[in-house]
């Protein structure tokens, strides 16, 4: 696809944005219903695309790709009429007579750029909110999941005319060329590194951005939780999509005397879910690309050389893009596994003696997308939450907050800017416009020059009231 075409397509979406922005709730709901229907009837193609791109097991595709989209559609349909109503606001006495409200109008033309790890979910959930908010949309799925990108292009063309929603397949060059237009909003999901480049490009046109990024999400284990049970639960969480999940636990913090029990629990958990050789297990995902496989292998090798202990359930196999669930402990500070988002099935373990050491470990790094805690001690959990900053805290489970549609989803600083889902997601993609209405007579003119004595007294009184 050449860049002049991108310009034409942008102009087409932009020209159509005012008409779409005027659509009523019923029309937007009809579009969302059509999208849900199309997804339901193309489920088998979605399964095949995800199998081809990521060796994703079909139940995983149902649970983690299709369900988040269809449940978002249902939630939005239920609430959209209320969200679109003007919001009445009270006024101070000095602004009476008059009335005030906020209307949530469309932003206009929105670009959604998505990653490969949940390629249907992370394209279509933002799309649901962008459509609900009355925008026209360009969708750029990832070049690393090409079968799913082709599936999405076909699916979207059956639901939306191209001047309303258009999918742009292609590589980084297409993403860069798209970013270089005056969008009214960019909704980007991906790595912090590319997110910062997207924000810099958006600054050129002062385009607003939502950045759904990643980072190092810890799981902190309470000393009385049961270290072996904790290890087993983390093994499941780290195995989902072979650890290639933005909200996967990146590393574990365990009290020093419980490390051995945690390791034993993790090993047991891996065997329980995937058997002795997950390399041959159809339910265990692949690493998306050889480049990412090489990165993981290099990082584990660096840890080994620096003196870390390493356990792997079976051998890595580059020809199959298979990387095994791996535990790393006694790792040196400053190595990649300790500093960078892992985005693979490798779990480093760090130990603490006092809870304050665990807090210092988390606060010493960038702000996480999620903080996981395994704990039945409410005061302990609240203390850690109060002492840290993260996009979310999840206690005694993994991932599930993503499925609670009324909770804001997003990070803090390097893990993200802006929120999606529910009312938060709708408002993120609208412009909150203040409307103030005066009647026929306005007392404001009483405050206009010339400043006679009585006007000076009046202004002084108003200043005291306000
Ligand atoms: P990535 O940042 O490499 O790519 C994301 C998208 O950006 C792709 O569509 C790509 O084509 C596009 N892109 C690449 N270079 C670009 C550029 N210079 N300008 C504009 N667009 C560009 O991320 P990835 O490897 O696809 O995904 C993994 C990352 O995404 C991880 O960091 C993960 O934590 C994060 N992630 C975050 C969430 C979330 O909701 N917070 C969800 C999934 C993944």
């Amino acid at each position: 696809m050449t860049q002049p075409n991108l310009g034409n397509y942008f102009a087409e979406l932009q020209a159509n944005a005012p008409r779409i922005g005027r659509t009523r709730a019923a029309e937007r709901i009809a579009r969302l219903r059509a999208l849900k229907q199309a997804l339901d009837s193309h489920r088998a193609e979605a399964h095949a695309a995800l199998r081809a791109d990521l060796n994703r097991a079909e139940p995983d595709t149902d649970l983690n790709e299709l369900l988040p989209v269809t449940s978002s559609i249902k939630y939005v349909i239920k609430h959209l009429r209320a969200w679109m109503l003007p919001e009445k606001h009270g006024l101070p006495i000095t602004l009476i007579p008059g009335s005030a409200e906020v209307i949530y109008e469309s932003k206009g033309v929105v670009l959604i750029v998505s990653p490969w790890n949940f390629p249907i979910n992370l394209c279509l959930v933002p799309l649901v909110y962008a459509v609900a908010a009355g925008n026209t949309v360009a969708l750029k799925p990832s070049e690393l999941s090409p079968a799913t990108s082709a599936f999405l292009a076909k699916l979207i063309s059956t639901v939306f005319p191209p001047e309303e929603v258009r999918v742009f397949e292609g590589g980084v060059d297409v993403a860069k060329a798209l970013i270089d237009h005056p969008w009214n909003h960019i909704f980007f999901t991906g790595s912090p590194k590319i997110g910062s480049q997207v924000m810099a490009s958006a600054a050129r046109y002062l385009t607003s951005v939502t950045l759904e990024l990643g980072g190092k999400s810890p799981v902190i284990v309470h000393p009385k939780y049961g270290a072996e049970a904790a290890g087993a639960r983390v093994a499941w969480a780290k195995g989902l999509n072979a650890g290639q999940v933005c909200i996967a636990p990146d590393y574990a913090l365990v009290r020093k005397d419980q490390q051995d029990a945690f390791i034993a629990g993790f090993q047991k958990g891996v065997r329980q879910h995937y058997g002795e050789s997950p390399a041959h297990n159809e339910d265990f995902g692949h690493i998306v690309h050889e480049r990412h496989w090489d990165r993981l292998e290099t990082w584990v090798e660096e840890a080994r050389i620096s003196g870390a202990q390493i356990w792997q359930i079976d051998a890595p196999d580059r020809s199959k893009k298979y990387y095994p669930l791996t535990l790393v402990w006694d790792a040196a500070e400053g190595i990649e596994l300790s500093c960078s988002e892992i985005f693979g099935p490798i779990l480093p373990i760090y130990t603490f003696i006092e809870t304050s050491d665990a807090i210092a470990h988390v606060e010493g790094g960038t702000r996480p997308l999620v903080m996981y805690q395994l704990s039945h001690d409410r005061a302990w959990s609240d203390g850690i939450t109060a002492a840290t900053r993260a996009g979310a805290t999840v206690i005694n489970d993994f991932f599930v907050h993503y499925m609670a549609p009324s909770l804001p989803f997003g990070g803090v600083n390097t893990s993200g800017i802006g929120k999606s889902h529910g009312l938060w997601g709708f408002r993120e993609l609208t412009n909150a416009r203040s409307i103030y209405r005066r009647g026929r007579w306005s007392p404001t003119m009483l405050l206009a020059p010339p400043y006679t004595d009585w006007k000076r007294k009046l202004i002084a009184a108003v200043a005291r009231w306000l």
Side-chain angles (χ1 to χ4, degrees):
M1 194 176 293
T2 59
Q3 291 192 24
N5 276 347
L6 292 188
N8 293 343
Y9 294 141
F10 172 81
E12 189 180 54
L13 290 165
Q14 191 180 42
N16 204 34
R19 181 179 71 79
I20 297 300
R22 286 191 296 274
T23 49
R24 293 170 181 277
E27 294 164 85
R28 298 179 193 182
I29 286 170
R31 285 167 172 81
L32 295 175
R33 284 217 169 95
L35 178 60
K36 180 173 178 306
Q37 211 164 19
L39 261 186
D40 290 343
S41 54
H42 292 84
R43 185 163 157 254
E45 287 163 58
H47 286 162
L50 265 298
R51 209 23 116 174
D53 284 333
L54 292 163
N55 193 36
R56 173 81 45 85
E58 288 70 22
D60 278 353
T61 294
D62 285 336
L63 269 179
N64 301 310
E65 300 280 2
L66 304 179
L67 181 64
V69 183
T70 52
S71 64
S72 297
I73 291 175
K74 282 189 201 158
Y75 188 80
V76 169
I77 288 176
K78 192 167 164 203
H79 295 278
L80 186 59
R81 284 190 172 83
W83 293 345
M84 285 176 69
L85 287 177
E87 199 178 71
K88 303 281 178 205
H89 284 256
L91 286 169
I93 192 162
T94 44
L95 295 181
I96 292 171
S99 65
E101 64 188 25
V102 176
I103 58 166
Y104 292 94
E105 60 187 14
S106 64
K107 286 218 167 186
V109 56
V110 170
L111 171 64
I112 296 173
V113 181
S114 302
W116 50 267
N117 63 329
F118 290 98
I120 295 181
N121 172 346
L122 296 173
C123 272
L124 296 191
V125 173
L127 177 69
V128 166
Y129 285 96
V131 168
N135 300 293
T136 55
V137 185
L139 259 184
K140 163 65 182 74
S142 171
E143 61 284 355
L144 294 184
S145 44
T148 313
S149 300
F151 164 74
L152 286 170
K154 195 173 143 203
L155 180 93
I156 292 299
S157 70
T158 65
V159 179
F160 298 95
E163 67 276 14
E164 281 185 33
V165 181
R166 184 185 280 274
V167 176
F168 292 87
E169 293 175 81
V172 172
D173 52 331
V174 174
K176 282 183 169 168
L178 279 168
I179 296 273
D180 198 25
H181 286 85
W183 304 94
N184 298 115
H185 191 85
I186 297 175
F187 189 108
F188 172 83
T189 308
S191 60
K193 181 177 157 218
I194 304 295
S196 113
Q197 291 175 21
V198 167
M199 195 167 174
S201 304
R204 182 172 160 208
Y205 296 108
L206 294 175
T207 293
S208 53
V209 291
T210 307
L211 303 177
E212 296 284 357
L213 309 176
K216 292 187 86 63
S217 295
V219 48
I220 311 181
V221 183
H222 188 283
K224 289 195 180 146
Y225 181 83
E228 198 171 320
R233 293 203 71 178
V234 178
W236 165 74
K238 200 70 184 182
L240 178 69
N241 204 26
Q244 302 166 111
V245 185
C246 61
I247 48 177
D250 185 273
Y251 64 93
L253 280 160
V254 183
R255 203 173 70 183
K256 199 172 177 56
D257 59 338
Q258 301 189 335
Q259 178 168 272
D260 290 350
F262 181 89
I263 292 170
F266 187 94
Q267 293 168 336
K268 217 160 121 183
V270 171
R271 292 191 173 97
Q272 185 189 336
H273 296 300
Y274 301 108
E276 283 298 331
S277 182
H280 305 290
N281 189 325
E282 282 283 283
D283 294 342
F284 192 76
H286 289 168
I287 302 304
V288 66
H289 194 276
E290 282 82 0
R291 177 159 48 87
H292 287 271
W293 191 98
D294 291 343
R295 174 180 61 81
L296 296 175
E297 180 69 349
T298 308
W299 289 5
V300 169
E301 207 40 45
E302 182 195 28
R304 200 188 308 274
I305 290 166
S306 74
Q309 305 288 318
I310 289 157
W311 171 86
Q312 296 187 311
I313 179 75
D314 53 6
D317 183 347
R318 191 177 191 275
S319 69
K320 293 188 179 143
K321 290 185 281 180
Y322 168 73
Y323 208 88
L325 275 153
T326 302
L327 272 180
V328 178
W329 64 99
D330 295 343
E333 278 180 23
I335 61 170
E336 289 287 357
L337 285 179
S338 301
C339 303
S340 304
E341 179 182 8
I342 295 169
F343 222 61
I346 303 162
L347 184 85
I349 308 169
Y350 304 96
T351 57
F352 62 88
I353 294 173
E354 300 296 335
T355 303
S356 56
D357 304 335
I359 292 171
H361 186 112
V362 175
E363 283 295 279
T366 51
R367 292 183 160 172
L369 188 54
V370 196
M371 165 177 294
Y372 291 107
Q373 299 172 10
L374 293 175
S375 159
H376 301 300
D377 180 339
R378 177 70 189 259
W380 184 87
S381 288
D382 288 350
I384 293 180
T385 301
T388 54
R389 291 291 176 271
T393 290
V394 176
I395 300 156
N396 295 335
D397 213 332
F398 294 92
F399 311 126
V400 286
H401 66 302
Y402 184 84
M403 296 300 290
S406 62
L407 292 182
F409 182 82
V412 192
N413 302 130
T414 50
S415 56
I417 292 176
K419 303 289 173 191
S420 57
H421 294 187
L423 179 59
W424 305 80
F426 173 77
R427 292 208 171 152
E428 188 84 2
L429 292 163
T430 54
N431 176 46
R433 185 165 175 170
S434 299
I435 312 270
Y436 175 84
R437 277 190 197 86
R438 273 283 194 219
R440 288 178 191 280
W441 177 74
S442 166
T444 310
M445 296 320 290
L446 295 177
L447 308 180
Y451 295 123
T452 56
D453 272 358
W454 78 266
K455 279 195 183 177
R456 284 171 193 271
K457 282 183 192 142
L458 182 65
I459 289 169
V462 167
R464 276 198 304 277
W465 280 337
L466 274 178

